Amino acid sequence: MSDILQEIVAYKREFVREQMQKVPLEQVKEQALAMGKSRNFYKAVTKRNRRGINVIAEVKKASPSAGLIREDFDPVEIARTYEKCGADAISVLTDEKYFQGKLEYLTRIKQEVKLPVLRKDFFVDEYQVYEAKAAGADAILLIAEALMPAQLMDLLILAAKLTMTAIIEVHSMDSLLQVRSLEGFPVAGYSVIGVNNRDLKTMTVDINTTGRLADLVEKKRELIAESGVKTREDVRKLKGIGVGAVLIGQTLCQSPSIEDKYKELFWIPGQ
Ligand SMILES: O=C(O)c1ccccc1NCC(=O)[C@H](O)[C@H](O)COP(=O)(O)O
């Protein structure tokens, strides 16, 4: 595990422990189980469309690699813009310390858009999975390198039971092979693989990381390219690989006009 991931995971364990003292697991569980069926995130990111690639647009205020990304940050307004632009799903960073996110942003966004919504955070405990569902999330992201294999599988199954899709994030071939060998993986209709193009050791991004790992993913539509997408050429390359979707945050959120940037990256003639 990289230093930054190790640091975030240690902080998360402590954060969750404190959270549990404020709102006990049983209460969060009850709230989660009272929620209806999730919007279908799996379908939104794997379906074929005219664009040739689906878009998960991320609401991202700040990050460890970039610092503050957007000063006039209005999460609901950004999500509405993404929906208007034709995004297929919304990702919301809910981590407070490193990304200046909030779980409350997700709940508000869910009420204002019709798209499926992903809770993007660092999951270390089932508590957060119930919490995600209770807040309105339709999907969660599990970082394989941050979890023991059995725990990863437990959280994946729990998400599916709560009708949420899980993106299982990997960065290396070793970790992808380990995920593939998990008994019970994939959970049909509820799991996809995300390849993070950002190396969390060096914080550098290399869009070709997705291409290098793609051969190990049988159904390319169940593959998501994450991080570092900056140009139309990047999108073209990823489309060529046949990935189902791209997860993009910083490039859109740092642009003075999110709408113009979205068009620049994803517009197709006749749309
Ligand atoms: O973005 C970071 O600096 C970062 C640092 C440490 C752990 C995770 C990090 N990013 C989370 C993400 O996965 C991205 O927000 C997501 O893939 C979108 O990436 P981008 O389009 O490059 O903002």
Side-chain angles (χ1 to χ4, degrees):
M1 223 194 292
S2 71
D3 290 353
I4 182 73
L5 192 55
Q6 221 161 356
E7 182 188 319
I8 297 175
V9 164
Y11 152 76
K12 271 298 146 185
R13 289 204 182 106
E14 186 52 28
F15 186 84
V16 171
R17 208 182 54 77
E18 283 168 16
Q19 221 30 50
M20 274 178 183
Q21 278 164 4
K22 290 184 205 152
V23 189
L25 174 63
E26 281 316 309
Q27 194 178 324
V28 180
K29 240 186 206 182
E30 215 174 285
Q31 289 165 359
L33 296 173
M35 300 294 283
K37 196 165 188 274
S38 305
R39 294 176 191 164
N40 198 332
F41 185 90
Y42 175 87
K43 194 171 161 198
V45 299
T46 58
K47 68 175 189 261
R48 294 199 178 276
N49 62 19
R50 277 189 58 228
R51 207 195 292 118
I53 195 164
N54 297 301
V55 180
I56 308 167
E58 185 158 278
V59 176
K60 184 174 189 179
K61 182 173 181 180
S63 74
S65 59
L68 183 65
I69 293 172
R70 192 172 188 91
E71 263 178 47
D72 64 332
F73 181 79
D74 179 339
V76 174
E77 202 41 51
I78 294 172
R80 279 205 201 103
T81 304
Y82 287 157
E83 184 164 57
K84 197 169 128 206
C85 288
D88 301 283
I90 308 280
S91 165
V92 186
L93 273 155
T94 60
D95 170 77
E96 297 187 11
K97 182 173 174 187
Y98 296 90
F99 294 84
Q100 297 189 36
K102 277 192 170 72
L103 189 55
E104 175 221 323
Y105 293 163
L106 186 146
T107 304
R108 281 168 51 206
I109 288 170
K110 179 70 185 272
Q111 286 161 359
E112 296 298 326
V113 300
K114 293 196 172 64
L115 298 173
V117 179
L118 164 76
R119 179 183 187 188
K120 184 89 167 51
D121 210 309
F122 297 81
F123 286 78
V124 294
D125 196 281
E126 64 167 5
Y127 183 88
Q128 296 160 289
V129 180
Y130 285 113
E131 197 182 45
K133 178 69 186 175
D138 304 296
I140 59 168
L141 182 137
L142 303 171
I143 302 178
E145 280 151 32
L147 294 159
M148 298 302 282
Q151 195 190 13
L152 173 64
M153 209 52 223
D154 285 350
L155 297 187
L156 175 56
I157 290 168
L158 175 59
K161 277 188 185 152
L162 296 170
T163 67
M164 290 189 291
T165 304
I167 300 181
I168 301 176
E169 178 181 299
V170 297
H171 176 69
S172 68
M173 204 162 276
D174 279 356
S175 134
L176 177 52
L177 287 171
Q178 197 169 40
V179 169
R180 274 187 9 159
S181 70
L182 287 173
E183 202 185 320
F185 179 83
V187 178
Y190 284 103
S191 59
V192 290
I193 293 280
V195 172
N196 197 343
N197 296 309
R198 181 173 285 110
D199 182 340
L200 296 182
K201 286 195 184 87
T202 60
M203 287 296 173
T204 52
V205 284
D206 176 6
I207 207 82
N208 297 313
T209 312
T210 298
R212 282 196 288 273
L213 271 57
D215 280 350
L216 293 175
V217 180
E218 230 170 89
K219 294 185 187 164
K220 298 287 179 288
R221 302 302 299 172
E222 293 184 353
L223 174 60
I224 293 169
E226 301 173 29
S227 307
V229 176
K230 294 189 176 72
T231 64
R232 199 172 167 82
E233 177 55 19
D234 291 339
V235 175
R236 196 193 58 79
K237 241 189 214 173
L238 294 167
K239 245 193 248 185
I241 297 168
V243 304
V246 63
L247 170 60
I248 175 166
Q250 188 175 329
T251 300
L252 293 172
C253 283
Q254 75 189 6
S255 175
S257 166
I258 290 179
E259 215 167 333
D260 287 351
K261 183 54 80 177
Y262 192 98
K263 278 186 198 146
E264 183 189 314
L265 295 173
F266 300 111
W267 179 81
I268 51 162
Q271 205 179 32

